[in-house]
Amino acid sequence: MSERDLLMIPGPVEFHPEVMRALGAKTASHVSPEFISVFGRALGRLREVCLAPSAQPFVVAGSGTLAMEMAVANLVEPGERALVVNTGYFSDRMATVLERYGAEVVQARCAPGEVPDTEQVERLLADGRFKVMTVTHVDTSTGVRAPAEALVRVAGRHGVLSVVDGVCATAGEVFHQDAWGADVYLTASQKALGVPPGLALLTVSARAMAAWRARRTPVRSLYADFGEWLPIHEAYEAGRAAYFATPPVNLVYALDVSLGHLLREGMEARFERHRRTANAFRAAWRALGLRMLPVSESVAAHTLSALYYPEGVDASFVGRVREQGVVLAGGLHPELKTRYFRVGHMNEVSPSDVLATVGAVERALAGAGYRREPGAAVAAAQAHLLEGAR
Ligand SMILES: *Cc1c(COP(=O)(O)O)cnc(C)c1O
């Protein structure tokens, strides 16, 4: 990959130069006053980004999968029941994590590209004696966006803890954790939060913290235990140092810078910008006659596009786009892997990035023998971007 290539995969994404500079800064002691104030501020900013003023934030070194595992390890005891609202690969992974921790797992399933019916989920919750329900906000394997608000509210009505995997959604898709009553919103640094890979982040409601405190058995993982991290995070927010395991100092610097940018933009403005960007891409895909994997726009993510290859085009297409200077991702869902590709569009995607990406896709398609009116897709995206600018 050339340094000038545009990275348009569903994470890691393009990062702001100031965020990258924070990674290269001199590493301070993790118990120095400078670092304490940065970490404390970043924890507070995470609450604001998740619109969860009452939640307890956790930020630890690890990837999104660790954040999934932390939620499960702390909230589920062996033999307890969990309902997985399954929209693809990452929901399957959540079920695997739950099983590993001894949960009895029930899944609400659907065909790839669809979302399980909320009424069906409600029926399952009504007589299921579930402790937790998990939802993948955006399943990165299908580009499907689950109706997070409706699902979280239904779980709340039935006294079931809701765990929402926001790894491909947090800070890109509308989410109001406190207002909706979501119990855990979990994410990773490298997608819409705009920080290189390496951080697992969670915001946990008071209700979920109480459920953790009421456990009968110890959390089976030491590193993932809320009990180890809670005093540390509380200390840093109170301006004191504390040690359990060394925090990733430079990633925390980078997180603080990026969250500062996000909050300066404003969460509502940011959600709206992601929606506009996604709509500009959708206009381009329509102009090219490409079919999205999600069955309708109402369940399609704003953080990525998952698109079937047209007739006569195969998985070598992603390499052709790379030759045009734009890096896209292939398929991930096990049933459809070789039949579609994915374009990430989160964090700092500018109108110029949209046009560069659409232009590269158009040229690569033409190179693969799928010819359309040259520039038609670029024009469709441009028209949409100009409309948004008015
Ligand atoms: C990327 C992703 C994950 C996994 O995150 P890693 O950082 O790769 O461990 C989990 N869930 C969703 C929805 C994702 O998009």
Side-chain angles (χ1 to χ4, degrees):
M1 176 176 169
S2 137
E3 279 199 55
R4 292 212 53 194
D5 281 356
L6 190 57
L7 184 58
M8 297 294 287
I9 66 173
V13 303
E14 289 284 339
F15 304 119
H16 195 287
E18 281 174 29
V19 171
M20 297 310 290
R21 278 197 289 279
L23 281 178
K26 180 177 165 63
T27 304
S29 158
H30 59 292
V31 294
S32 63
E34 302 88 309
F35 182 66
I36 292 169
S37 75
V38 171
F39 199 2
R41 183 171 60 210
L43 290 166
R45 285 177 168 173
L46 181 60
R47 268 196 205 89
E48 289 182 61
V49 164
C50 295
L51 299 158
S54 77
Q56 174 60 47
F58 292 93
V59 175
V60 307
S63 81
T65 304
L66 176 67
M68 298 166 76
E69 190 152 350
M70 272 183 83
V72 170
N74 286 279
L75 296 184
V76 179
E77 295 185 67
E80 288 182 334
R81 284 165 58 79
L83 177 65
V84 173
V85 180
N86 194 315
T87 45
Y89 180 91
F90 287 107
S91 308
D92 288 344
R93 174 169 298 184
M94 188 60 105
T96 304
V97 176
L98 283 159
E99 277 162 6
R100 186 66 68 92
Y101 280 85
E104 206 181 296
V105 177
V106 174
Q107 304 210 47
R109 290 185 167 281
C110 58
E114 296 180 8
V115 295
D117 177 41
T118 303
E119 281 167 23
Q120 178 209 344
V121 171
E122 173 139 39
R123 279 194 298 277
L124 287 166
L125 288 172
D127 50 34
R129 305 182 321 283
F130 290 105
K131 170 95 170 276
V132 301
M133 176 198 74
T134 69
V135 177
T136 311
H137 194 175
V138 167
D139 195 289
T140 322
S141 73
T142 52
V144 162
R145 178 172 47 89
E149 178 177 6
L151 290 166
V152 158
R153 288 191 189 277
V154 164
R157 275 207 297 283
H158 292 280
V160 175
L161 295 170
S162 53
V163 172
V164 181
D165 173 352
V167 178
C168 198
T170 308
E173 300 284 2
V174 175
F175 196 80
H176 296 252
Q177 184 169 356
D178 268 17
W180 299 353
D183 290 297
V184 176
Y185 201 34
L186 66 90
T187 193
S189 48
Q190 74 272 20
K191 302 191 190 179
L193 281 189
V195 181
L199 292 176
L201 311 95
L202 305 91
T203 41
V204 182
S205 73
R207 192 166 71 138
M209 291 305 291
W212 163 72
R213 283 197 183 85
R215 289 177 66 96
R216 288 163 284 118
T217 59
V219 173
R220 285 188 181 182
S221 158
L222 180 76
Y223 187 78
D225 191 345
F226 286 169
E228 300 297 338
W229 294 107
L230 182 63
I232 309 304
H233 289 342
E234 285 178 341
Y236 276 86
E237 278 209 270
R240 285 181 285 110
Y243 172 73
F244 162 57
T246 309
V249 171
N250 286 64
L251 275 171
V252 172
Y253 291 159
L255 176 70
D256 181 53
V257 170
S258 190
L259 296 184
H261 290 173
L262 265 58
L263 292 170
R264 205 176 325 136
E265 179 175 16
M267 297 318 296
E268 296 306 327
R270 192 172 172 89
F271 297 147
E272 175 56 21
R273 181 170 60 73
H274 278 77
R275 203 182 58 79
R276 279 204 313 271
T277 300
N279 285 340
F281 274 117
R282 289 175 193 177
W285 310 144
R286 275 194 300 274
L288 283 168
L290 297 180
R291 184 159 72 89
M292 298 205 302
L293 198 150
V295 290
S296 73
E297 295 214 349
S298 64
V299 299
H302 300 111
T303 50
L304 81 152
S305 298
L307 301 154
Y308 287 106
Y309 296 121
E311 232 2 74
V313 175
D314 64 20
S316 65
F317 169 74
V318 171
R320 289 179 185 272
V321 183
R322 178 176 290 224
E323 282 165 20
Q324 300 297 327
V326 175
V327 183
L328 304 183
L332 182 62
H333 194 286
E335 286 168 43
L336 301 165
K337 219 178 163 89
T338 58
R339 292 180 45 205
Y340 74 105
F341 67 103
R342 296 172 300 151
V343 182
H345 31 81
M346 48 195 135
N347 195 36
E348 306 256 344
V349 174
S350 69
S352 299
D353 294 338
V354 173
L355 297 178
T357 303
V358 170
V361 166
E362 245 187 6
R363 291 193 301 282
L365 283 172
Y370 181 86
R371 287 184 179 277
R372 288 291 178 274
E373 171 72 22
V378 174
Q382 183 77 293
H384 209 91
L385 294 165
L386 284 168
E387 225 172 85
R390 267 211 303 272

